[in-house]
């Protein structure tokens, strides 16, 4: 006998709608301007996260390095620090899992480069170490968080925060941030309408 999931489906969708209605659009605007500055100045955007946030970071890199850059003469320069599995595992094995992102920034991050750090809880130690290092070097940090935001929300210069106590909805919102910002640049930089291919 089939089970009726209608009530659960409605509840999930309503929670997603409620969370979307609470997003800080001014912070999204700040993030767009930080990305635009990095783009114009041909600076690297370092992005990273763990688990589902790692997948989100990879998706960001794809959408900016290919999705938008396919149609622009100047290209976005995203570098996803969780994508090179050999490097990540070597650092984790030989040094520390807490160092997998910071180590990759050490001696490489330059003035004007931008950091996008993703952590649903805002308390992932490997993410926080990289963020602290970037801030010590004077770089701007965009933090993507959920729940109460954790330490990452406190450390970030720009907060893309999903105010919800659900990791699934948090990760949904983080992808909304990606696609919203991609669509904005798709329109303004590539002169393309995101509603049509």
């Amino acid at each position: 006998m089939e089970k009726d999931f209608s009530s659960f489906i409605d509840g999930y969708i309503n929670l997603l709608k409620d969370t979307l209605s609470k997003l800080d659009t001014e912070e999204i605007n700040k993030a767009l301007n930080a990305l635009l500055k990095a783009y114009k100045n041909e600076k690297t955007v370092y992005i990273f996260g763990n688990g589902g946030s790692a997948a989100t970071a990879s998706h960001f890199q794809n959408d900016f390095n290919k999705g938008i850059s396919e149609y622009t003469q100047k290209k976005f320069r995203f570098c996803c620090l969780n994508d090179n599995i050999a490097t990540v595992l070597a650092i984790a094995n030989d040094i520390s899992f807490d160092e997998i992102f910071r180590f990759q920034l050490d001696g490489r991050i330059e003035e004007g480069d931008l950091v996008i750090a993703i952590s649903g809880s805002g308390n992932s130690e490997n993410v926080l170490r990289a963020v602290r290092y970037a801030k010590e070097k004077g770089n701007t940090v965009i933090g993507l968080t959920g729940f109460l935001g954790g330490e990452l929300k406190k450390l970030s210069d720009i907060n893309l925060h999903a105010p919800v106590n659900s990791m699934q909805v948090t990760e949904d919102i983080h992808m909304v941030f990606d696609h919203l910002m991609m669509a904005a640049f798709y329109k303004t930089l590539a002169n393309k309408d995101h509603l049509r291919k």
Side-chain angles (χ1 to χ4, degrees):
M1 186 174 184
E2 290 188 353
K3 185 173 177 61
D4 185 0
F5 290 99
S6 299
S7 179
F8 177 84
I9 294 167
D10 289 342
Y12 190 98
I13 291 172
N14 287 334
L15 180 59
L16 188 56
K17 288 178 180 177
D18 182 62
T19 307
L20 283 167
S21 72
K22 294 176 181 176
L23 297 183
D24 188 335
T25 56
E26 183 53 38
E27 289 296 294
I28 300 171
N29 192 58
K30 288 179 184 177
L32 281 163
N33 278 287
L35 283 162
L36 183 60
K37 183 178 179 181
Y39 170 82
K40 287 181 174 179
N41 294 331
E42 299 182 354
K43 297 298 182 179
T44 301
V45 180
Y46 292 100
I47 188 165
F48 48 89
N50 298 290
S53 296
T56 298
S58 294
H59 201 131
F60 260 89
Q61 178 177 256
N62 171 68
D63 285 346
F64 280 78
N65 282 0
K66 189 276 177 188
I68 302 167
S69 295
E70 179 181 359
Y71 302 101
T72 58
Q73 184 172 0
K74 192 190 294 283
K75 309 302 179 186
F76 275 97
R77 300 182 180 199
F78 267 64
C79 177
C80 182
L81 298 184
N82 51 257
D83 271 1
N84 191 322
I85 299 302
T87 297
V88 168
L89 292 179
I91 299 167
N93 185 67
D94 298 344
I95 304 172
S96 167
F97 184 74
D98 289 339
E99 284 287 284
I100 62 173
F101 302 132
R102 190 209 66 81
F103 182 86
Q104 293 186 72
L105 295 179
D106 190 5
R108 296 180 179 90
I109 196 168
E110 297 179 351
E111 182 179 351
D113 288 344
L114 184 63
V115 167
I116 302 179
I118 311 174
S119 172
S121 69
N123 292 315
S124 299
E125 181 58 28
N126 54 10
V127 171
L128 296 176
R129 285 196 188 191
V131 165
R132 292 188 186 104
Y133 179 81
K135 290 185 69 67
E136 286 171 7
K137 295 297 179 180
N139 298 89
T140 297
V141 173
I142 300 173
L144 276 67
T145 58
F147 297 86
L148 296 177
E151 190 66 18
L152 179 56
K153 188 178 180 189
K154 297 175 188 175
L155 289 171
S156 297
D157 300 293
I158 300 169
N159 290 297
L160 299 184
H161 179 62
V164 61
N165 293 322
S166 164
M167 188 60 75
Q168 289 70 43
V169 175
T170 290
E171 292 179 355
D172 292 338
I173 298 296
H174 289 175
M175 282 308 308
V176 169
F177 289 140
D178 170 37
H179 287 149
L180 187 159
M181 293 191 291
M182 179 197 181
F185 289 129
Y186 204 54
K187 179 70 173 177
T188 59
L189 298 178
N191 197 29
K192 296 280 185 179
D193 188 341
H194 72 278
L195 297 175
R196 284 177 281 175
K197 178 62 179 169

